[in-house]
Amino acid sequence: SGKAEEYYNLAGQLLSPKANGKAYTIYSLAGTWAPISDIQFRGNYTKSVRNPSIVELFLGGQPSFTSATDLCGPNSIDTGQVPATRRANCQRAVINAGLATDTASANTFLANFVPSGTGLQGTFTGNTSLSAERGTSWTVGAVFTPRFIPRLTISADYINVLLKDTIVPTLLGTAVQTCYDSPTYPDTTPSIGANTCSFFSRDAAFQFANGFSLGFLNLGAKKVEAVNISWNYPIEVGAGRFTLAGSAYHLMHYRDSAGGQFAPGDDIESAGTFARPKWETTLTARYDQNGWFGQVVWNTQSSTKIFVSGVPATTEQY
């Protein structure tokens, strides 16, 4: 069109993508206090942001081919964090589609509904309405260096992180889940700031139809609480040095909230899963002398929980 901020896409549509950022105040307050030489207390409070990237804002309509589990199918309708909400929303979807007139007939339809499971075509685009991710974190801890055990250092810190408005690529499965699990169906905007129910459509037979439109959303929040402990004790041995060291990381909570409220049924606790063990420890024994060294490192992590659809697995699923 002659304007640098405008362009035609392959479909011939004139696009003028533009995003105006907001001003944010970020800061960090930190301090230490050593009442005696053996111990030092420390703390930190930080406000931080991450602005959307160029891709997250302006990605052009990229062709996307995918499939998604139909949560209104008989195998999924009574699962999830709040099964009653999912079933009620699927009933309403059937009635709105003109395939039933009341709850009873909607339940009859859903009991006999067989999702096709076929692949679908759609697009994936950027979102110029994204806002920045906002983080609040604080730590408090202490460093212990006892005079009666020279060179020994022990430290411990409590860590608390809250991340809001997290930017995530919303896949078809995510859009379907946030839609049918939403307490504000058929418009999820009050919960997550966008209506994921409008991202996809169904045909006359209630099957997912081609033409979905997905993108990035400020979807939910994360909350992390952890404790980190470490120690180091070097000992002079003849012409060399022997060092005992170790660390222990205890993940108390790692919560993901779809609606950002951390209310019952709104969040998933994943501390204790394979990727996020509740305990991770490292022990190291090392000897150094004249430029060479030898060491032994022992790493452990706690046992793993298995989750299915966001809830602890049953004995049969294990």
Side-chain angles (χ1 to χ4, degrees):
S1 65
K3 296 181 180 180
E5 67 272 16
E6 296 181 342
Y7 69 93
Y8 287 96
N9 65 10
L10 294 178
Q13 297 172 309
L14 179 62
L15 303 178
S16 303
K18 185 178 182 181
N20 294 318
K22 297 180 181 179
Y24 292 92
T25 299
I26 61 174
Y27 60 87
S28 183
L29 303 174
T32 60
W33 178 52
I36 58 175
S37 60
D38 298 68
I39 191 168
Q40 180 187 82
F41 298 99
R42 59 191 180 188
N44 180 291
Y45 182 85
T46 298
K47 287 282 190 178
S48 56
V49 299
R50 185 186 80 85
N51 281 302
S53 70
I54 296 296
V55 171
E56 292 164 344
L57 288 169
F58 302 119
L59 178 68
Q62 302 296 309
S64 178
F65 303 89
T66 187
S67 61
T69 300
D70 196 329
L71 300 185
C72 291
N75 294 330
S76 304
I77 192 170
D78 292 317
T79 62
Q81 293 291 311
V82 187
T85 298
R86 180 178 294 181
R87 174 170 281 277
N89 291 340
C90 289
Q91 292 168 350
R92 187 173 173 183
V94 171
I95 294 172
N96 291 344
L99 299 170
T101 57
D102 53 27
T103 300
S105 58
N107 277 331
T108 301
F109 175 88
L110 291 168
N112 296 285
F113 174 57
V114 180
S116 65
T118 57
L120 301 169
Q121 297 178 347
T123 58
F124 196 92
T125 63
N127 180 0
T128 57
S129 299
L130 290 172
S131 58
E133 297 180 338
R134 297 173 294 117
T136 301
S137 62
W138 60 276
T139 66
V140 61
V143 180
F144 184 50
T145 53
R147 283 169 287 182
F148 53 87
I149 308 180
R151 296 182 297 278
L152 173 64
T153 301
I154 302 173
S155 65
D157 293 278
Y158 169 78
I159 304 161
N160 187 300
V161 180
L162 174 62
L163 181 62
K164 293 183 177 181
D165 295 330
T166 53
I167 298 173
V168 297
T170 306
L171 305 179
L172 183 57
T174 303
V176 170
Q177 181 177 355
T178 54
C179 174
Y180 290 116
D181 287 353
S182 172
T184 61
Y185 176 89
D187 187 354
T188 62
T189 303
S191 300
I192 62 174
N195 185 15
T196 59
C197 297
S198 67
F199 289 9
F200 61 93
S201 61
R202 293 181 180 271
D203 59 21
F206 203 64
Q207 302 290 350
F208 289 139
N210 289 320
F212 62 82
S213 179
L214 305 173
F216 297 91
L217 289 177
N218 291 106
L219 192 63
K222 297 179 185 293
K223 183 182 290 186
V224 181
E225 290 182 78
V227 173
N228 192 60
I229 304 169
S230 63
W231 59 93
N232 186 280
Y233 186 36
I235 306 170
E236 301 298 331
V237 179
R241 170 175 290 189
F242 182 69
T243 302
L244 291 173
S247 65
Y249 178 75
H250 176 38
L251 181 61
M252 302 163 65
H253 296 288
Y254 194 110
R255 299 169 64 186
D256 284 282
S257 171
Q261 304 300 317
F262 298 103
D266 171 68
D267 69 335
I268 296 176
E269 170 67 77
S270 58
T273 57
F274 180 76
R276 301 186 181 101
K278 283 199 169 184
W279 281 99
E280 294 178 87
T281 63
T282 299
L283 294 175
T284 302
R286 173 176 173 135
Y287 182 77
D288 293 84
Q289 182 177 340
N290 297 329
W292 64 270
F293 73 91
Q295 71 177 19
V296 176
V297 181
W298 181 35
N299 297 294
T300 64
Q301 72 177 49
S302 55
S303 58
T304 295
K305 294 180 181 178
I306 297 177
F307 288 80
V308 177
S309 299
V311 297
T314 64
T315 302
E316 293 80 7
Q317 289 167 330
Y318 266 110

